[in-house]
Amino acid sequence: MDPLDHPAMDRTVACLLHDMLRFVADGRRSYVEVMEAWRTSCPRLPIWEEATERGLLMRARDESGVPVVRITAAGRAFLLEGCTDSDLPAPARERLAP
C-alpha cells in the first residue's frame, strides 16, 4: 500500500513524515534533539503528533534514562514503502533492514 493513498494524508504531510522518520532512523536521537529539529509553531502541521498517533515513532528511555525517540516497525515499513532503498543513506538502509 502506498502511504500517499491514505485518505487523510496529503503529499506534504507524507513527505514531512518521511523526512522526520529518516532523521530519526539515521542515528540515535534524543527527545530534545528531535523536538528542537521538528518543532513548529503551525497548529495545522503537527508532524510529531501525526507520527506518534500513527505509531511511526515512539518515546523511550535509553540505558542511562535519557528520553530518546525511536522509529517503530510501522515507521520503518512506512518509510520503506514510500521510497526506494537507493533514496536512503547507507547507514539508514542498514538499520531499516529486517
Side-chain angles (χ1 to χ4, degrees), residues 3-63:
L4 297 177
D5 288 342
H6 192 284
M9 185 180 311
D10 67 8
R11 187 166 192 74
T12 301
V13 171
C15 290
L16 287 170
L17 282 171
H18 278 263
D19 287 347
M20 182 180 222
L21 292 171
R22 283 183 179 154
F23 175 76
V24 172
D26 196 33
R28 186 174 171 168
R29 304 290 184 180
S30 72
Y31 177 76
V32 170
E33 182 181 9
V34 173
M35 290 299 103
E36 285 177 2
W38 286 93
R39 96 176 114 214
T40 178
S41 59
C42 179
R44 294 184 181 175
L45 200 57
I47 296 303
W48 167 254
E49 289 83 0
E50 185 78 25
T52 55
E53 285 175 16
R54 291 180 179 274
L56 305 176
L57 294 174
M58 62 178 269
R59 281 181 60 179
R61 292 197 180 268
D62 69 10
E63 53 281 342

Side-chain angles (χ1 to χ4, degrees), residues 22 26 85-94:
R22 283 183 179 154
D26 196 33
D85 281 350
S86 62
D87 292 334
L88 293 172
R93 247 190 337 268
E94 292 164 9

